[in-house]
Amino acid sequence: MKKNKSLHIDTEALSTLALVKAGLISPVEGLMNEAEAREVDESKFYKGVPFPFSFILSPTGKRNKEVLQSLKKGDIVDLVNYDKKVGELIVNETFPVDIQKRLHNIYGTNDLSHPGVKNTMARLGEIAVSGEYTVEYPLITDNTKRIQNMITKTGAKHISSMMLAANPFNRAHERMIRQAISDADLLVIFLRKPFTSEGLRYDIRYNSLNTFIDNFLPRNKVIIIPFENSYIFAGFNELILDALLAKNYGCNQLVIGKNHGGLGLYYDKNRLSTVFDLCRNIDIDIKTVDEYVYCDTCKTLVSTQTCPHGQHHHVHYHSESIMKLIQSGVIPPPILVRKEVSANILAALFPERFDNLQELYYSLMPGSGLLEQQSEEQFYMKLIQLYQTSSLT
């Protein structure tokens, strides 16, 4: 029996292939051939719906290149991920890829100093293959079932969504979530799960977000879905892809902050209006929310659009700066990050940080007098309460 040839793909490619096969980036439901790819790259549309660049498979590597060069129409190829067969592809055609042009289509630049360009450059090969394929990737199937089960269980009609990195989860995120659930029956939070190791681990971000949802929000109003945002979501057109994904998962609305990567970071005002014009063709309501800050005069979180006080009264929720505190082991002030969330993150990030934790706990903290085992999370909670004690400050 003749053995199939193999193409080796990484998990990022597998995840994206599965996402498309499940219809979650519809109307794109498969790999594009050369003519389709060229048309999409030029028009930025596919079947009347905005799509910023062609969807192709062009894995890198010497072994893959040799296989791609040898393929003929009708060949069946095994798709292999870390030595495990995860799918099959029936070859339609192979065609050359202009790597520099593709990088520019995705990111708006092919400058290698751009982290996305650098990462994607290492993954792109010079030859693409098209054809019908099947892949196995349980995470995507599980996500779809969980959302549908939640909709059935709650009877939700108006389903809102947001894409969140929560890196780290802060008070401004809380305000956005509360605002979103006040207008919806159900909020789906797509928690970004990148294929890079930057920032907090996914499990830490998931647990900190879940701590807030479980303890401070009404039950059955929010569901967290892991969202493996591969390179196709990392470009300057990510808002279009986010909108398509949310719609195909069954959401009626996508809530975004005005500092979303697809808005303020990359777009001027003319470009911004173009993005919203394009998203109108996707049939999902896109709602923008103002930037939130803490005002030391208002003494609360406020929108920059409604607070009458100047910038010098505002504390900004700058994720990178809050992250630097956390990575240094410093507890962020509770006006930046809720103490329950800070305790959860720090306990996970610095396990067994303190020698003789129990002794330290009973030396510093008021208590009932009963000697009970205290966790690191409980220690941080009590420590934050001491920081908040104000009689001697």
Side-chain angles (χ1 to χ4, degrees):
M1 183 177 174
K2 186 181 175 184
K3 190 168 182 266
N4 291 344
K5 294 175 181 177
S6 298
L7 284 175
H8 292 259
I9 59 174
D10 60 16
T11 309
E12 187 166 352
L14 173 59
S15 170
T16 312
L17 287 168
L19 211 58
V20 167
K21 200 65 185 174
L24 295 169
I25 312 292
S26 179
V28 177
E29 292 174 340
L31 293 165
M32 296 177 185
N33 60 35
E34 185 174 15
E36 288 174 320
R38 189 183 302 116
E39 184 184 335
V40 171
D41 284 336
E42 289 173 4
S43 70
K44 312 297 181 190
F45 273 81
Y46 182 70
K47 296 185 178 179
V49 172
F51 204 83
F53 46 83
S54 55
F55 183 69
I56 61 173
L57 176 64
S58 57
T60 191
K62 182 181 176 184
R63 182 168 46 172
N64 280 338
K65 186 176 181 180
E66 288 171 357
V67 170
L68 288 163
Q69 286 173 327
S70 71
L71 293 178
K72 295 179 178 61
K73 185 168 183 172
D75 284 353
I76 297 175
V77 182
D78 290 340
L79 298 174
V80 177
N81 174 247
Y82 291 107
D83 298 326
K84 179 187 175 187
K85 180 179 173 180
V86 291
E88 285 185 351
L89 183 146
I90 304 170
V91 177
N92 177 33
E93 67 176 21
T94 59
F95 54 94
V97 175
D98 184 332
I99 291 176
Q100 294 301 319
K101 192 173 180 181
R102 179 155 181 80
L103 289 168
H104 200 280
N105 283 339
I106 296 171
Y107 295 101
T109 178
N110 49 18
D111 185 346
L112 281 173
S113 66
H114 185 294
V117 170
K118 186 178 179 182
N119 290 336
T120 304
M121 177 87 170
R123 303 180 59 257
L124 278 180
E126 299 169 359
I127 303 172
V129 60
S130 70
E132 283 293 316
Y133 69 87
T134 56
V135 287
E136 297 170 14
Y137 198 58
L139 178 67
I140 304 296
T141 312
D142 183 57
N143 286 348
T144 307
K145 284 180 181 173
R146 286 183 59 217
I147 291 175
Q148 287 306 315
N149 288 344
M150 192 69 160
I151 291 171
T152 303
K153 178 182 173 183
T154 60
K157 296 287 188 288
H158 182 62
I159 301 146
S160 194
S161 62
M162 63 173 60
M163 308 287 174
L164 204 61
N167 198 20
F169 183 66
N170 62 53
R171 293 279 193 172
H173 294 139
E174 289 189 17
R175 181 59 63 92
M176 277 183 70
I177 290 170
R178 287 190 189 280
Q179 187 174 333
I181 64 172
S182 69
D183 300 330
D185 301 322
L186 177 65
L187 173 65
V188 180
I189 297 179
F190 293 101
L191 186 60
R192 295 190 186 277
K193 191 177 183 183
F195 289 91
T196 60
S197 57
E198 296 165 10
L200 293 172
R201 294 195 319 261
Y202 176 81
D203 63 300
I204 294 176
R205 291 183 291 113
Y206 178 90
N207 289 335
S208 64
L209 177 57
N210 213 38
T211 295
F212 169 67
I213 291 169
D214 280 352
N215 293 292
F216 301 103
L217 291 181
R219 290 191 181 278
N220 296 330
K221 287 284 279 186
V222 183
I223 182 172
I224 306 171
I225 295 294
F227 169 36
E228 293 185 327
N229 54 320
S230 67
Y231 74 96
I232 70 167
F233 293 92
F236 70 112
N237 291 292
E238 70 171 277
L239 178 57
I240 295 169
L241 276 301
D242 286 351
L244 274 173
L245 184 87
K247 173 188 175 284
N248 287 312
Y249 263 121
C251 303
N252 316 111
Q253 184 181 70
L254 174 64
V255 177
I256 59 170
K258 287 188 177 173
N259 59 350
H260 184 281
L263 297 178
L265 194 58
Y266 295 104
Y267 295 109
D268 59 29
K269 289 180 181 175
N270 294 330
R271 178 63 174 147
L272 178 59
S273 62
T274 306
V275 171
F276 280 112
D277 286 343
L278 287 173
C279 288
R280 284 195 189 98
N281 294 338
I282 296 176
D283 191 28
I284 188 171
D285 174 38
I286 296 185
K287 180 181 178 182
T288 58
V289 295
D290 295 329
E291 180 189 0
Y292 289 110
V293 294
Y294 179 85
C295 175
D296 66 5
T297 304
C298 295
K299 303 293 185 193
T300 189
L301 248 73
V302 291
S303 158
T304 52
Q305 299 298 309
T306 59
C307 178
H309 308 111
Q311 283 270 354
H312 54 288
H313 287 286
H314 292 166
V315 176
H316 290 267
Y317 290 84
H318 189 259
S319 292
E320 288 183 14
S321 300
I322 300 172
M323 186 66 147
K324 284 178 182 175
L325 292 178
I326 286 173
Q327 287 176 325
S328 300
V330 176
I331 301 169
I335 64 162
L336 295 178
V337 179
R338 183 180 289 274
K339 62 180 184 287
E340 290 83 358
V341 172
S342 290
N344 183 281
I345 294 173
L346 287 169
L349 203 56
F350 300 100
E352 300 178 9
R353 181 184 188 183
F354 302 104
D355 293 331
N356 301 318
L357 176 69
Q358 305 308 317
E359 184 181 317
L360 189 62
Y361 184 94
Y362 290 113
S363 298
L364 297 177
M365 311 301 177
S368 62
L370 296 174
L371 295 178
E372 297 173 344
Q373 193 79 1
Q374 303 297 329
S375 68
E376 289 187 321
E377 199 164 336
Q378 290 167 321
F379 173 78
Y380 284 117
M381 284 286 292
K382 287 288 189 180
L383 188 60
I384 293 168
Q385 287 175 21
L386 285 186
Y387 280 125
Q388 291 176 296
T389 303
S390 58
S391 61
L392 295 178
T393 58

